[in-house]
Amino acid sequence: MALDNDNGTAIVDTPESWEVVASRTPFQGAKTAVRSDQVRMPDRSVVRRDYQVHPGSVCVLALDEQQRVLVLKQFRHPVRHRLWELPAGLLDVPGENPLLAAQRELYEEAHVKAEDWRVLADFFSSPGGSDEAVRIFLARDLSEAEGARYAVSEEEADMEIARVPLGDLVAGVLAGRLGNPGLVTGVLALSAALASGGLESLRPALAPWPARPYEA
């Protein structure tokens, strides 16, 4: 349900596209690219907009029976920090079901499975400079996954795993000690859900995602 502001305007994001006069891709990486578009403005002028083209991502807020959240500490070279994060990964295959991707990431990064899945929040990570869309899932009824652990490499080979009380993570976000956008969005969204309608009011795990359409 969309809420209205004082002017009667619905408070809901709406899709819109402005004319792209020309477009080029000056850089193509393994998973992402940089695109440079010439975009016509409402006043008919044309300006350049450069942005990262991204396949999209999923994050998993895995919550155990003690109200602890499973988090990972991982080195991130662009920001020169080790950040506490939620298990997360790219949507590597076009049209991939984000729930299946989230289940895979939880298994690969934490060797954990979950029986109850819901959509916690959707957001654009940096809409002024990237088209990355992120879906955060809430995963509950956790247990150890069967079989051998997934072989990790590169930054993931040095990850630290912990289970931290939700309240401690919220306090860390508000104090400026935690800054990963998936973790910040996830723990604050979960805290808000618990304080309002409860977790049963969250969207189902296969809820539509217009930003990254997929086959259920």
Side-chain angles (χ1 to χ4, degrees), residues 33-103:
V34 172
R35 183 169 295 159
S36 183
D37 290 344
Q38 298 290 329
V39 183
R40 192 176 302 281
M41 299 288 107
D43 65 1
R44 308 307 293 170
S45 64
V46 175
V47 300
R48 191 177 91 181
R49 291 291 179 260
D50 303 322
Y51 59 98
Q52 180 193 35
V53 179
H54 195 285
S57 305
V58 291
C59 297
V60 183
L61 195 158
L63 185 69
D64 67 18
E65 294 180 352
Q66 288 77 46
Q67 298 292 291
R68 298 177 304 174
V69 177
L70 191 156
V71 290
L72 314 168
K73 195 174 191 180
Q74 185 171 347
F75 175 67
R76 295 299 187 184
H77 175 73
V79 296
R80 308 304 200 271
H81 271 71
R82 284 184 181 270
L83 300 178
W84 284 105
E85 306 178 349
L86 303 178
L90 300 178
L91 292 169
D92 295 312
V93 181
E96 181 179 18
N97 187 317
L99 174 60
L100 298 182
Q103 292 170 335

Side-chain angles (χ1 to χ4, degrees), residues 130-142:
S130 172
D131 70 352
E132 181 185 13
V134 183
R135 169 159 281 190
I136 305 178
F137 289 92
L138 173 65
R140 294 184 294 170
D141 296 339
L142 309 181

Side-chain angles (χ1 to χ4, degrees), residues 112-137:
V112 167
K113 64 179 181 180
E115 298 301 322
D116 186 274
W117 291 82
R118 298 173 189 272
V119 174
L120 182 57
D122 296 329
F123 69 99
F124 295 106
S125 62
S126 183
S130 172
D131 70 352
E132 181 185 13
V134 183
R135 169 159 281 190
I136 305 178
F137 289 92

Side-chain angles (χ1 to χ4, degrees), residues 6 28 79 105 112 118 128 131 156 177:
D6 292 341
Q28 177 66 59
V79 296
E105 294 300 331
V112 167
R118 298 173 189 272
D131 70 352
E156 292 182 353
R177 297 191 298 269

